[in-house]
Amino acid sequence: MSAQTSGPRYRPLSFGVTRVLVRENNGHTYARADQSLGEHAVRITDRLTHWASVAPDRPFLARRAQNADGSRGDWRVVTYGEALKAARSIGQALLDAGASVERPLAILSENSIEHALLGLGAMYVGVPYCPVSTPYSLVSQDFEKLRHVLGTITPGVVYAADLGKYSRAIDATVAAEVPVVCDDPAAGTRKAGKVVALADWLATTPAAAVDAAHAATGPDTIAKFLFTSGSTKLPKGVINTQRMLCANQQQMRQSMPVLTDADNPPVLVDWLPWNHTFGGNHNFGMVLYNGGTLYIDDGKPTAALMHETLRNLREVAPTLYFNVPNGFELIAHAMQSDDQLRRTLLSRVRMFFYAGASLAQPIWDSLYASAEKEVGERIVMTTSMGMTESAPFSIFVTSPNIRAGELGLPTPGMEIKLAPNSGKLELRYKGPNITPGYWRNPEATREAFDDEGFFCSGDAVQWSDPDDLHRGIRFDGRIAEDFKLATGTFVSVGPLRGKIIAAGAPYVQDAVITGHGEHEVGAMLIPIVPAIRKLSGLPDSAALTEVLASKPVLEHFQGVVNKLAESATGSANRVARLCLLADPPSLDKGEVTDKGSINQRAVLSHRATTVAALYAGSLANILKPEA
């Protein structure tokens, strides 16, 4: 392991993988860590029984209780001992209901203590569960994706936290013979079928069958199904086995030695949705595996909900903090003037970690400045590379001295393959944390793996420093997102996107690159609304279209497009026109994922008319570089 030896002062943090072993064969590069994967649990529920035995009264899960007016009150806490007891009762109830691998548990719920206990109970008795993206139930109008997910897994039981909120989706998609479990049956109605109170399940007395079922589970037992975002096609159900989950947690411990500090188990304040691998496998699994405490954050990096995240971070001091770039951007902005937020958040956090999209360097710099002001040292900003199919942790940075886009080296037990593809190097994975495939979709499974058994990620990478491979790799965009101009010039979307976001900071959340089949590159910018309203100087009542057309905003972005043009080296990275989008990206259309990142292909598909108008010159406020 290595720690910082020079440069800016950072809060001490060790890195478990700092050297890579590389080989070449038949035009491909293969790389792996210079250490093997250590021993690990056979099933993730073994960690629940372990902590319930050695630390039964330790807080495991906490969430603010909901008040009658919908606001959040005091923290409700569940210990490891209480969680195991509830999981065994739920496991018995699932067995009684006939749930199985072929008839698993589907969860239609946001993150909650009940959601967690149901998932643990299902895994305890070998019943897979599937946390379904809540927008499929609460935002969608046609329920196409929800119907597809449920049709793929054919659930034997469905849990809906709030029957009133989810009844419309349930009536449209859940067969009458499938029982629905909910927190309060009186909160809503179901047109046809049985409704069961979760309290009845929690009161179930577990029989010997529960422990027998647990003993029968093993590394190949399916723990859960997590569905891909389905932005361009219908979502695919990724099989997550116990081997994947446990191996991945051990990989994390070896790459992030901070997790091995038994005297300081991880404390997380986290909003990331559990239907996504970042929140559900990486963060929830980290807490469970290492005996930590998870404070469930009902906030989100949006204008409507960020106040709840900030409230929680003023009160609870995490030891590790995870978020998406937009979340860190809003926190960085708030910390500049919020003394209590800085004091609590920075008091004992040992590591920041972002994933999901590129984090603009100015945001890093702002976080560093706040930390240096408050505690006299920087908090290391880290990141990883991975995907639903890799459980997800695969690659981690090697030192605190990294820049935006750098990813690091493979975690122990993981081998990566850099394969030439469309003029780039595609990142491919092999290891014990890789999925065996997609549930009930053999064709997609076959297509996902190459002839050597490596999973093809579709992500492009390059070496951060070709003269020092131990620095690791850096992100080079999604191969499927890249395109050619009408001139035949190839446009690399990922790096250009990051460049635009950095140039537009702190007013740009993301950028969607346009120009396929055109003669020049364009961009549609998704603004950070609170920041850009402040820039405009207009009252809060002003329409967003008015804000985006204001003189201060137009002058600022004229400067941005001029700056980008000055640094361009050719038509492939010269932004010749841009516009600001007034309507936010849509979850229902797949333009934004549950974790808040923008899907380039989905935005282009659903906003083809806007793209055409951008090139026809018929959009208002199109900005072009000044001659």
Side-chain angles (χ1 to χ4, degrees):
M1 295 186 293
S2 71
Q4 173 208 0
T5 57
S6 62
R9 180 181 175 184
Y10 289 91
R11 183 162 288 174
L13 184 74
S14 295
F15 295 83
V17 177
T18 59
R19 299 189 64 79
V20 65
L21 303 176
V22 178
R23 62 185 177 93
E24 303 283 343
N25 184 42
N26 196 30
H28 297 140
T29 301
Y30 302 80
R32 59 184 175 86
D34 66 344
Q35 57 182 279
S36 301
L37 180 64
E39 293 185 3
H40 51 79
V42 173
R43 53 211 161 192
I44 200 77
T45 44
D46 289 339
R47 302 303 288 168
L48 176 61
T49 58
H50 169 76
W51 295 116
S53 174
V54 303
D57 298 325
R58 180 182 297 174
F60 173 26
L61 302 167
R63 188 189 186 197
R64 291 189 187 275
Q66 189 167 22
N67 299 321
D69 63 359
S71 63
R72 290 285 168 181
D74 295 333
W75 292 100
R76 172 194 165 203
V77 176
V78 172
T79 67
Y80 277 93
E82 291 169 337
L84 177 59
K85 180 178 182 295
R88 295 181 73 249
S89 292
I90 289 169
Q92 182 65 62
L94 282 165
L95 295 177
D96 293 343
S100 65
V101 175
E102 300 298 324
R103 303 285 288 172
L105 168 66
I107 296 180
L108 312 184
S109 172
E110 63 277 5
N111 297 359
S112 69
I113 290 174
E114 292 75 18
H115 181 153
L117 296 178
L118 281 156
L120 292 169
M123 289 192 293
Y124 196 88
V125 295
V127 173
Y129 75 103
C130 177
V132 183
S133 173
T134 55
Y136 293 178
S137 299
L138 302 181
V139 179
S140 176
Q141 297 302 306
D142 59 14
F143 304 117
E144 179 187 17
K145 289 184 179 179
L146 176 61
R147 190 174 287 107
H148 168 73
V149 168
L150 299 184
T152 300
I153 66 171
T154 59
V157 179
V158 171
Y159 168 72
D162 185 329
L163 187 61
K165 287 170 58 177
Y166 288 90
S167 61
R168 182 170 169 266
I170 289 169
D171 290 340
T173 62
V174 179
E177 66 270 17
V178 177
V180 171
V181 181
C182 63
D183 295 352
D184 180 7
T189 59
R190 183 184 182 191
K191 287 184 178 179
K194 184 179 180 182
V195 177
V196 182
L198 178 58
D200 293 341
W201 275 27
L202 292 170
T204 302
T205 300
V210 168
D211 293 321
H214 186 237
T217 62
D220 294 319
T221 299
I222 299 175
K224 63 169 76 170
F225 301 113
L226 291 178
F227 276 75
T228 59
S229 62
S231 56
T232 56
K233 298 180 180 179
L234 285 172
K236 299 189 290 286
V238 180
I239 298 169
N240 281 239
T241 65
Q242 292 285 353
R243 175 183 287 107
M244 289 171 62
L245 302 184
C246 294
N248 206 224
Q249 289 301 323
Q250 177 61 27
Q251 290 171 321
M252 290 161 63
R253 283 171 61 86
Q254 289 182 236
S255 289
M256 297 185 283
V258 65
L259 296 174
T260 64
D261 184 352
D263 295 329
N264 294 285
V267 175
L268 270 59
V269 179
D270 194 58
W271 68 270
L272 288 155
W274 293 342
N275 66 281
H276 189 273
T277 189
F278 188 5
N281 281 359
H282 191 285
N283 293 356
F284 184 90
M286 173 188 291
V287 170
L288 173 59
Y289 203 89
N290 298 288
T293 303
L294 173 59
Y295 288 85
I296 298 170
D297 176 15
D298 283 289
K300 205 171 184 179
T302 65
L305 294 174
M306 191 63 193
H307 68 91
E308 185 68 17
T309 292
L310 298 179
R311 174 196 181 192
N312 293 333
L313 291 174
R314 292 186 196 103
E315 184 173 323
V316 181
T319 61
L320 308 167
Y321 189 69
F322 302 85
N323 213 323
V324 296
N326 189 33
F328 273 114
E329 185 153 10
L330 295 173
I331 288 170
H333 178 73
M335 280 207 296
Q336 292 175 4
S337 58
D338 192 325
D339 295 343
Q340 184 60 45
L341 175 64
R342 284 199 314 275
R343 188 175 304 118
T344 304
L345 175 57
L346 300 173
S347 63
R348 61 173 180 172
V349 67
R350 300 170 71 178
M351 183 181 81
F352 285 148
F353 182 114
Y354 80 93
S358 177
L359 181 67
Q361 192 64 45
I363 306 307
W364 294 41
D365 297 338
S366 178
L367 291 166
Y368 287 157
S370 289
E372 288 172 335
K373 174 182 178 181
E374 185 67 31
V375 296
E377 58 190 0
R378 297 180 175 184
I379 308 303
V380 177
M381 175 61 77
T382 65
T383 191
S384 173
M385 189 69 171
M387 55 201 316
T388 309
E389 291 86 348
S390 64
F393 188 82
S394 298
I395 294 167
F396 190 63
V397 295
T398 61
S399 83
N401 302 307
I402 62 168
R403 302 290 291 178
E406 293 185 323
L407 302 172
L409 293 174
T411 193
M414 163 71 64
E415 184 174 30
I416 63 172
K417 175 181 178 180
L418 307 186
N421 186 346
S422 303
K424 290 195 171 189
L425 293 176
E426 182 186 14
L427 177 62
R428 300 180 180 179
Y429 301 111
K430 182 186 284 188
N433 57 313
I434 299 299
T435 182
Y438 301 107
W439 186 241
R440 295 173 174 167
N441 196 339
E443 181 180 355
T445 299
R446 285 192 299 271
E447 292 174 351
F449 293 89
D450 69 12
D451 57 359
E452 292 185 292
F454 283 83
F455 181 83
C456 304
S457 73
D459 290 316
V461 296
Q462 56 185 234
W463 292 105
S464 294
D465 183 352
D467 296 324
D468 182 10
L469 302 188
H470 300 300
R471 281 193 58 186
I473 57 176
R474 64 179 297 111
F475 187 58
D476 195 28
R478 290 281 296 170
I479 290 173
E481 291 182 345
D482 294 344
F483 59 86
K484 287 183 178 180
L485 297 171
T487 58
T489 302
F490 197 74
V491 177
S492 184
V493 167
L496 182 57
R497 194 179 189 176
K499 183 179 178 182
I500 294 171
I501 294 170
Y507 303 109
V508 175
Q509 176 185 334
D510 216 318
V512 177
I513 311 303
T514 66
H516 180 72
E518 301 287 348
H519 285 82
E520 55 191 23
V521 173
M524 299 186 294
L525 306 190
I526 299 166
I528 296 176
V529 175
I532 213 159
R533 281 189 177 279
K534 185 176 180 180
L535 173 64
S536 74
L538 296 175
D540 293 342
S541 59
L544 185 55
T545 52
E546 184 181 356
V547 169
L548 298 182
S550 67
K551 183 177 179 181
V553 171
L554 293 179
E555 287 180 347
H556 173 80
F557 282 97
Q558 184 64 61
V560 169
V561 75
N562 291 345
K563 179 180 177 181
L564 289 168
E566 290 170 4
S567 62
T569 57
S571 61
N573 59 19
R574 184 179 187 272
V575 180
R577 57 187 67 216
L578 63 79
C579 66
L580 295 164
L581 295 178
D583 49 328
S586 166
L587 275 167
D588 201 27
K589 295 177 180 178
E591 294 179 330
V592 59
T593 69
D594 295 324
K595 66 184 191 309
S597 58
I598 303 300
N599 186 289
Q600 163 101 4
R601 294 178 67 187
V603 174
L604 290 174
S605 173
H606 291 292
R607 304 191 188 223
T609 301
T610 303
V611 174
L614 176 64
Y615 283 90
S618 56
L619 278 181
N621 304 321
I622 296 175
L623 296 170
K624 299 181 179 181
E626 294 175 335

